[in-house]
Amino acid sequence: MKSKNRNRILFLLVIVAVLFLAVSLYLVYFQLFEADELAANSLNRRNYIDESLVDRGDILDRTGQILAQSQATDTGYQRSVTYSVSLSHLIGYNSITYGKSGIEQSYNDYLLNIQDRDAVGKLRQVVTDGTVGNNLTLTIDHRLQLLANDLLKPYLGSIVVTDAKTGEVLAMASSPTFDSDWIDQNWSWIIEDQTAPLLNRATQGLYAPGSVVKLISAVAIQESGIDQSYVDTGEEMVTGYPFVNYNNAVYGEIGLRQALIHSANTYFANKSLQVGADKMAEVAGRFMIGEIIPFDLSTARSSSPYQSGMADVDLAAASFGQGTTMVSPLNMALVTGTIANGGTMMKPYLVSEIHSPQGSLIRRTTPEVLSEVTSRRNADELRADMQAVIEGTSAAIWSAPVGGKTGTAEAQDGLVHAWFTGFIPLDDRDITVTVVLENQTMTGAGAASPIAAQLFQWIYDNYHHE
Amino acid sequence: MRRPRLAEFVVRSKRREYFSNVKLLTFMFQLLSMGLVLLNTRQALTVNSLVFSGLLIGLTYLSNVLVQRYTKGDNYLIMIANMLFSIGIVMIYRINPALGERQLLLYTIGVGAFFIAYYFLHYTGHFWENKTFFFLGISIAMLAVTLVFGRTLGGATNWIEVAGFQFQPSEFTKITFAFFIAAFYANHAFFKQKLGGSLFLMIATYILIGIFFLQGELGTAIVFFAAMICAMIAFDRSRLLLFANIGLALAGLFVAYRLFGHIQVRFEVWLDPWADPDGRGYQILQSMFAVASGGLFGRGIGLGQPGTIPLAHSDFIFASIIEEMGIFMGIAISLLYLIVFYRGLKISLSQTNPFYKVLALVISMMFAAQAAIVIGGVLKLIPLTGMVLPFMAHGGSSLLASFVMLGALQYSSVEQYPEVALEIKE
């Protein structure tokens, strides 16, 4: 009896010991497999209580203008953006409820000064009172950004201004826009808006390019070494399908330059068949069509229409911009920049410098080659062609020999997307300007070129002899 | 006086060494954790906070020494309790210094109650060993008073106010209930002959559990049931009754689920807290977030956000502690409760007096069950029950009752010579 009694008590001990050990094991399991997801849940108020204790770093533009800063309040720090409408797609919003976007998202670790830490270190650092974030300097010029926004305001579309030599993005506008400082209050109507104000069209909008794509085809023609002369009869038959020029024009005997000046569809339809789909695809790939463009903001992948063995009709149509090609304004700006920059595509960037709160330099972005696209000779020739294209058009300005190409791509309901992409030579560098306007009644030359001209003029006035 | 033999001396000095090691560990924890609290919470080093730290270290040390010197039996119990208490009070003070100071005062009273309980049992001898009906009556009376005069706090009608002080009688009912079971088994032969044996125990326990359900105290009901079942497993022969009880409990739980809205709500929230994350699911989700944010080593004392957890200093103190001290501290706490249970069973095994043999088992089972239920609830392994961790959570009734039970357990560990027969008679 006594030993039985003893065994039963020991049995109880085993049961309870197993119980507590199970709880301990569960704790470890929970930590390893469930904790991360739970801790990151937006309902976990730690995620923003922590951050609101950090003096999030300032964001400045290239002129030293403060674009975003944090102000101390009773409950923590409050974020405010200086030009919160014009810069909403670049700086992004920083909301407790809806998360982050733009630079606020992609450079969050630097802005919180937790860039070098592992997960545990981050948590610990974030909550330590008195943390001050790093300051970012952007390549943006707020004056140019405001101008681009004003010019774009009546339209849906995008403007991208870059430095072809370095890859710096000087302005990047997207319309419609929203006010990042009022994201919480306006969220419901912003996301219901059919025009998608949250979409950064410059990097994530994909448009049929129309004739601007002829710049890429031109490089393919140059590189393939085929005869560049052509006699235009106003029609080019490809396997029974007739391709014609805009307004059914007939240009007679033309070379590549005239073909670009007149934007002759027939020329490119004819030549692309000689170049072949493989070569076209290869050149488009070097121009980052169909590739992911690394950038400080998330980018959409442009889509290339070229594949080996494709039908001649499709190949011909794609060569002058009527195929399934879809490009982002940023991608097109890089294409133009490549031609202006002697055939070398520079990697685009927005953040030029990161400084610690004490002012010491943490990171400086050095210009990087993204893609060696074509030879300097080809590029320079095409560059001169582009200048010839613009001469005497509505994109031209008196002060400098700007070059460019317009495009008009069919959209819905008989409307078009109006494109302009071009560059202005300054003392030792070229600045590219790319404009795309959605759902226009006028062509690229009619709608987009005048906007580009105003930007060129401003750039010349402010950057010449800089 | 007989001089101690060498072997005896070695054993003694070794034990003394253990004791001082445990005391040193407690002291180290208190020093480091209070240091971090003072550094990290912007409390600043006020005279108050330094005096508080000094008192905490001094009082726990004093209780360790006093218990060692003035009581016989198991000296580890108070040390484990002091460690648990220290972990708890550091967290409470870090969340709210005023509550921390109050907790220290309650602790002092609690240690006083420990000695009172110990010496009360010591001097009243074996008087209580056959007062089964007395303990049952007191238990029912306390709960009945609560049911009539009780106030509702946090979903349970389990508070009464006497002369400006708020009490939670269910906490003290645990003491009388433990004595009741002990007295019942000490007089098992009598009950077997006259009153249906274990059936009597079952009916009495179910009456109490029924009252707890009426009050909305699911947790205490489970603790009572666990205590009864364990006593039956250890001291009752009948397997049939045991399984009948488990069946009855499940059926009872089902009936209660259908009958009482508050129990349904607890189950629903447990199954899907995300259905109402800002309302009914709020408490448990905040608790889960805290545990999830802690990591293995915690975010550091004073560096977490236990302020986001409701009742971070009482019902959810386990979650607050894990957030700032980590999963490993959570495991350590679980193991500390397991050691309490182990010591309790060891006492029960070596005790020759049936009354104290049963009492030790029931009390240690109550501690263990309560800890397991609270920890399981906070981790969402089981529904929340509205109980608090013994010795750790803020709350006068719980702390006081826990120390009284610990005092009784301490007295149970004192070797006694049985006046009643050694074995429990059938």
Side-chain angles (χ1 to χ4, degrees), chain B residues 378-396:
Chain B
V378 166
L379 298 178
K380 205 176 83 69
L381 290 168
I382 55 169
L384 284 173
T385 52
M387 277 197 313
V388 296
L389 283 175
F391 302 110
M392 292 184 77
H394 179 263

Side-chain angles (χ1 to χ4, degrees), chain A residues 5 8 45-46 50 124 127, chain B residues 234 236 282 298-299 308 323:
Chain A
N5 188 247
R8 287 163 165 191
R45 292 193 290 155
R46 279 163 196 79
D50 294 349
R124 195 148 294 164
V127 294
Chain B
D236 225 310
Y282 185 75
R299 307 174 71 177
T308 63
E323 181 185 359

Side-chain angles (χ1 to χ4, degrees), chain A residues 251-324:
Chain A
Y251 300 114
E253 197 171 320
I254 53 173
L256 180 56
R257 176 168 297 190
Q258 287 79 16
L260 283 168
I261 290 173
H262 300 303
S263 205
N265 295 345
T266 50
Y267 179 92
F268 288 95
N270 178 278
K271 296 299 176 195
S272 64
L273 296 181
Q274 296 177 41
V275 171
D278 293 338
K279 181 67 185 173
M280 294 292 274
E282 183 203 324
V283 173
R286 273 187 259 139
F287 273 113
M288 301 303 282
I289 306 290
E291 310 286 332
I292 284 285
I293 298 168
F295 189 51
D296 293 328
L297 305 176
S298 62
T299 56
R301 189 199 294 257
S302 302
S303 59
S304 170
Y306 303 112
Q307 41 194 298
S308 47
M310 69 193 292
D312 283 354
V313 180
D314 296 335
L315 174 59
S319 71
F320 61 88
Q322 274 191 6
T324 53

Side-chain angles (χ1 to χ4, degrees), chain B residues 20-331:
Chain B
S20 59
N21 281 347
V22 174
K23 274 183 282 193
L24 183 70
L25 279 176
T26 313
F27 170 72
M28 293 272 281
F29 172 80
Q30 290 167 336
L31 197 69
L32 291 173
S33 59
M34 279 313 292
L36 285 169
V37 169
L38 298 184
L39 274 178
N40 284 339
T41 57
R42 279 173 288 167
Q43 279 292 330
L45 296 168
T46 58
V47 176
N48 265 353
S49 60
L50 286 175
V51 168
F52 172 84
S53 309
L55 277 177
L56 171 62
I57 292 168
L59 284 171
T60 46
Y61 183 80
L62 191 69
S63 69
N64 278 341
V65 171
L66 287 180
V67 168
Q68 230 172 299
R69 176 163 303 176
Y70 292 107
T71 68
K72 290 179 194 163
D74 191 340
N75 286 327
Y76 283 107
L77 291 172
I78 190 72
M79 291 180 175
I80 304 164
N82 276 337
M83 190 66 210
L84 286 168
F85 165 75
S86 299
I87 299 168
I89 195 173
V90 164
M91 202 61 209
I92 296 166
Y93 189 81
R94 173 255 178 278
I95 293 167
N96 184 338
L99 289 180
E101 283 159 15
R102 187 164 173 269
Q103 180 80 345
L104 192 60
L105 178 71
L106 290 167
Y107 168 78
T108 317
I109 299 171
V111 173
F114 173 93
F115 281 104
I116 291 172
Y118 180 89
Y119 280 104
F120 182 74
L121 292 175
H122 181 75
Y123 287 117
T124 51
H126 302 298
F127 173 77
W128 300 105
E129 288 175 14
N130 57 3
K131 302 295 180 287
T132 318
F133 291 102
F134 171 76
F135 290 123
L136 180 62
I138 294 267
S139 300
I140 292 176
M142 273 203 285
L143 292 182
V145 166
T146 322
L147 211 53
V148 177
F149 301 103
R151 296 175 40 178
T152 307
L153 265 178
T157 314
N158 54 9
W159 293 85
I160 54 167
E161 201 175 301
V162 180
F165 289 101
Q166 286 185 331
F167 286 94
Q168 214 175 337
S170 62
E171 290 286 350
F172 297 102
T173 321
K174 280 189 261 182
I175 307 167
T176 51
F177 182 67
F179 278 93
F180 160 69
I181 295 186
F184 171 83
Y185 277 109
N187 302 284
H188 197 251
F190 167 76
F191 284 99
K192 186 91 182 163
Q193 280 172 2
K194 298 273 170 73
L195 286 160
S198 292
L199 215 54
F200 175 80
L201 174 70
M202 278 169 58
I203 290 166
T205 309
Y206 285 131
I207 288 172
L208 293 171
I209 288 177
I211 299 175
F212 284 130
F213 271 112
L214 285 178
Q215 292 178 342
E217 274 204 72
L218 193 56
T220 322
I222 298 171
V223 169
F224 274 41
F225 180 76
M228 178 190 75
I229 283 290
C230 287
M232 287 178 82
I233 289 174
F235 305 114
D236 225 310
R237 271 215 168 156
S238 170
R239 290 281 160 86
L240 182 71
L241 268 179
L242 192 69
F243 290 120
N245 263 301
I246 292 168
L248 262 178
L250 291 176
L253 199 62
F254 180 72
V255 171
Y257 177 81
R258 300 298 295 269
L259 228 57
F260 300 112
H262 61 87
I263 294 173
Q264 279 174 38
V265 167
R266 284 186 177 186
F267 270 91
E268 280 164 18
V269 171
W270 173 59
L271 289 172
D272 186 12
W274 300 99
D276 188 9
D278 296 319
R280 299 188 308 196
Y282 185 75
Q283 283 192 336
I284 186 64
L285 284 182
Q286 295 304 320
S287 165
M288 299 288 283
F289 289 150
V291 175
S293 304
L296 290 177
F297 298 98
R299 307 174 71 177
I301 295 169
L303 299 179
Q305 293 292 342
T308 63
I309 317 165
L311 301 169
H313 58 278
S314 56
D315 291 34
F316 290 95
I317 195 166
F318 190 70
S320 320
I321 287 171
I322 287 188
E323 181 185 359
E324 297 207 328
M325 306 188 202
I327 294 290
F328 285 140
M329 183 56 103
I331 293 172

